[in-house]
Amino acid sequence: MDPPTMWRATTVQACGLWPFAAGSGAPMTGVPLGQHLFTGATVCGDPLSWFTRAHYISNPSLFMLGMPGLGKSTLVNRMLIGLAATGVVPLVLGDLKPDYADTVRALGGQVLSIGRGVGGINVLDPGAMGAAAQRIGGEAGRTLAVETHGRVLNMVAALITIVRDHAIDDHEQSVLSAALHHLRERTRPDRQPLLPDLLRVLAEGPDRVRAVTLDRGDDSRYRDAVDPLHRSLLGVLDGPLGDTFGSETSTRIDLDAPAVCVDISRIGEADTQLTAAAMLAAWSDGLGTVAASHALADAGLRPRRWFFTVLDELWRPLRAASGIVDRIDALTRLNRTLGLGDAKITHTLKDAEALGTDADRVKARGFVERAGMVVCAGLPRQEMEELGRVVGLSRREIDLVSSWSSPPGWAAYGDREEPPGRGRFLIKVGGRPGIPIQVAITDTERHLHDTNKRWAPNKPAAGKSPGGIPSLSKQPTAAGRRTG
């Protein structure tokens, strides 16, 4: 629906039109988010609509900060639903809680699980990119196949980096590339190679692989060159990552799915290596699917689709491995050319300070500086002062948002008092004044996006407990009904 026409007038001219005169207009392009906190006007917005239609921002990305429990992921969930209604494909490439799996199911999308015993990804499988390269054929198909090889090579190198806790050497990357080429040529078209197959190639030492090691026919020189790589790959397969990445992909991403969620919530928070590997694999597979979709659209073989990626709890994958910082950094610089928007959610800027190297800390801070939209929920005053030096906040905006971080009052019943900042956000775009909004969620959203599910009592079937004893469960408490 087109927004109504708006005129600007003086108080003398517009006084007779009250209450239909407004001090300033609120943006009406994009997903309906909520009401302006002061004027009550409807506020709409999302990174893709503000980039493609309204041209408010030059980068289709959103960075959100705020204390836990104030509704950050709920607001992004609303954007996800609204964009899906316009034909944009939401991609949640690594749902850590999970917060979005139920929403993706309700949209008729695809939910894939990664973790021990629940599903895995074959990192040597070219996936949608390989299938698209074969379908396109010709020079464009060959170009996509070369890019597919590079994506697979980078993913194997990333797994080795996680196991070693440092990057692989350049000559080892050359050996891996030659081994992958050899493996691809000798593998039947009806199956995909696996990591154990790659190990066998290194053990056999074909001429193509030996040539890049400069062994000059000396087997001992060859073994000296490939043994460290061989040991690291054995560490991947026999270590904590083997069950998840050593076998066939359990379910491929569907190019025609209206939404996709890669659920990695089964992985424990303390299992940082597997979290990092699963996140990298999910992003590699998901972005490969995006590249395949655009390549097919360029060839006229399918309609053009846009994508919206969500990375919630950003602090957790950032701390898991430095390779994820580089991948997210590349994404924030190239998302305009990839035809996708993104939303990154974390708690404070201090999450970046916990990273291992100065380079990673600088890259993580760059996420905020390059974001087209910055959305703030309640934050302490000190954090707002620091954020103001990055995005340019006025004193009034700092006072407003910091007031939202106050705790709720002491009430007789817990469900009668909520934090004053719950559902309140400040949207900042460049040097424009911030837009404060109030978000009120619907019952459907509350049901699909309840981040406190495990604080609600169980509801045994037919009013019986698992042991046959009549259930004594009460109605869900306020904590179980609230969304985060």
Side-chain angles (χ1 to χ4, degrees):
M1 182 179 296
D2 292 334
T5 305
M6 189 174 296
W7 290 272
R8 187 182 300 274
T10 67
T11 54
V12 174
Q13 295 169 315
C15 61
L17 297 177
W18 179 263
F20 303 107
S24 62
M28 292 290 292
T29 303
V31 178
L33 301 179
Q35 291 181 299
H36 195 288
L37 195 59
F38 302 134
T39 68
T42 300
V43 177
C44 302
D46 61 80
L48 273 79
S49 299
W50 282 15
F51 175 72
T52 58
R53 293 164 53 195
H55 305 291
Y56 293 151
I57 57 179
S58 59
N59 187 11
S61 62
L62 177 149
F63 198 95
M64 183 178 291
L65 303 99
M67 301 297 288
L70 297 182
K72 301 185 301 297
S73 54
T74 301
L75 179 62
V76 173
N77 197 64
R78 172 167 290 186
M79 290 185 185
L80 183 150
I81 296 171
L83 286 170
T86 67
V88 175
V89 182
L91 298 175
V92 185
L93 302 176
D95 197 353
L96 290 155
K97 288 185 178 178
D99 281 341
Y100 304 93
D102 289 342
T103 299
V104 169
R105 291 190 185 97
L107 292 171
Q110 181 185 28
V111 178
L112 298 82
S113 295
I114 298 179
R116 296 186 184 92
V118 296
I121 291 180
N122 175 18
V123 295
L124 303 189
D125 187 347
M129 288 185 70
Q134 293 181 356
R135 183 178 176 187
I136 294 171
E139 186 61 31
R142 285 190 293 272
T143 301
L144 189 60
V146 172
E147 185 179 346
T148 303
H149 171 80
R151 189 175 294 274
V152 171
L153 174 61
N154 289 336
M155 189 59 227
V156 177
L159 289 183
I160 295 173
T161 299
I162 291 172
V163 170
R164 291 181 176 180
D165 201 22
H166 63 82
I168 69 172
D169 297 330
D170 55 349
H171 74 275
E172 290 180 317
Q173 195 150 351
S174 300
V175 172
L176 270 180
S177 179
L180 288 170
H181 277 301
H182 176 82
L183 187 57
R184 180 65 56 190
E185 291 170 359
R186 81 173 193 181
T187 303
R188 300 195 317 268
D190 59 340
R191 68 177 294 268
Q192 300 300 332
L194 303 172
L195 281 179
D197 300 326
L198 182 61
L199 274 174
R200 279 192 288 272
V201 170
L202 293 179
E204 295 168 359
D207 293 340
R208 183 168 189 170
V209 178
R210 286 180 178 271
V212 298
T213 64
L214 301 179
D215 68 329
R216 296 182 177 86
D218 187 344
D219 191 65
S220 63
R221 287 172 59 92
Y222 173 75
R223 296 302 166 190
D224 290 340
V226 302
D227 279 355
L229 190 60
H230 200 151
R231 282 194 295 269
S232 296
L233 284 173
L234 285 173
V236 171
L237 287 172
D238 297 333
L241 310 182
D243 293 342
T244 309
F245 303 103
S247 56
E248 293 283 355
T249 299
S250 52
T251 306
R252 281 188 175 185
I253 294 178
D254 184 3
L255 269 176
D256 297 316
V260 176
C261 174
V262 180
D263 180 3
I264 61 174
S265 61
R266 304 288 186 89
I267 303 173
E269 291 190 13
D271 201 344
T272 56
Q273 279 193 340
L274 186 55
T275 298
M279 187 70 71
L280 281 171
W283 277 85
S284 179
D285 199 17
L287 295 183
T289 302
V290 171
S293 177
H294 287 310
L296 290 169
D298 292 340
L301 298 177
R302 64 180 298 113
R304 178 78 63 191
R305 305 179 82 188
W306 293 342
F307 299 84
F308 179 59
T309 62
V310 177
L311 182 54
D312 205 344
E313 300 292 339
L314 180 65
W315 62 271
R316 188 174 166 191
L318 285 181
R319 296 180 188 179
S322 60
I324 290 190
V325 179
D326 293 329
R327 186 168 292 275
I328 299 173
D329 180 62
L331 176 66
T332 59
R333 297 175 186 273
L334 300 174
N335 51 0
R336 287 184 300 172
T337 59
L338 292 175
L340 59 87
D342 71 272
K344 293 179 284 294
I345 311 171
T346 190
H347 295 148
T348 70
L349 286 178
K350 290 184 174 61
D351 292 334
E353 297 177 2
L355 299 180
T357 65
D358 291 337
D360 283 348
R361 285 190 285 270
V362 171
K363 291 173 187 174
R365 283 184 172 274
F367 300 158
V368 185
E369 297 170 352
R370 290 192 300 274
M373 300 171 62
V374 176
V375 180
C376 306
L379 285 167
R381 178 173 295 275
Q382 182 180 358
E383 180 70 21
M384 288 300 300
E385 297 279 359
E386 187 173 353
L387 182 62
R389 290 191 285 271
V390 179
V391 299
L393 297 170
S394 69
R395 177 58 52 187
R396 185 178 180 185
E397 290 169 343
I398 292 174
D399 293 340
L400 178 65
V401 178
S402 59
S403 70
W404 296 340
S405 64
S406 303
W410 298 105
Y413 302 98
D415 58 351
R416 294 187 182 180
E417 285 289 332
E418 289 192 347
R422 177 167 290 169
R424 295 187 175 189
F425 304 91
L426 181 73
I427 303 175
K428 286 289 293 184
V429 174
R432 297 172 182 260
I435 305 173
I437 65 171
Q438 173 72 53
V439 178
I441 63 173
T442 65
D443 290 339
T444 301
E445 288 175 301
R446 183 177 291 108
H447 173 70
L448 291 175
H449 192 74
D450 185 357
T451 58
N452 291 330
K453 289 179 180 178
R454 291 191 174 178
W455 290 97
N458 289 334
K459 296 181 180 179
K464 298 287 185 178
S465 65
I469 301 173
S471 172
L472 299 177
S473 63
K474 300 178 182 178
Q475 292 297 319
T477 63
R481 292 196 301 268
R482 291 174 182 166
T483 61

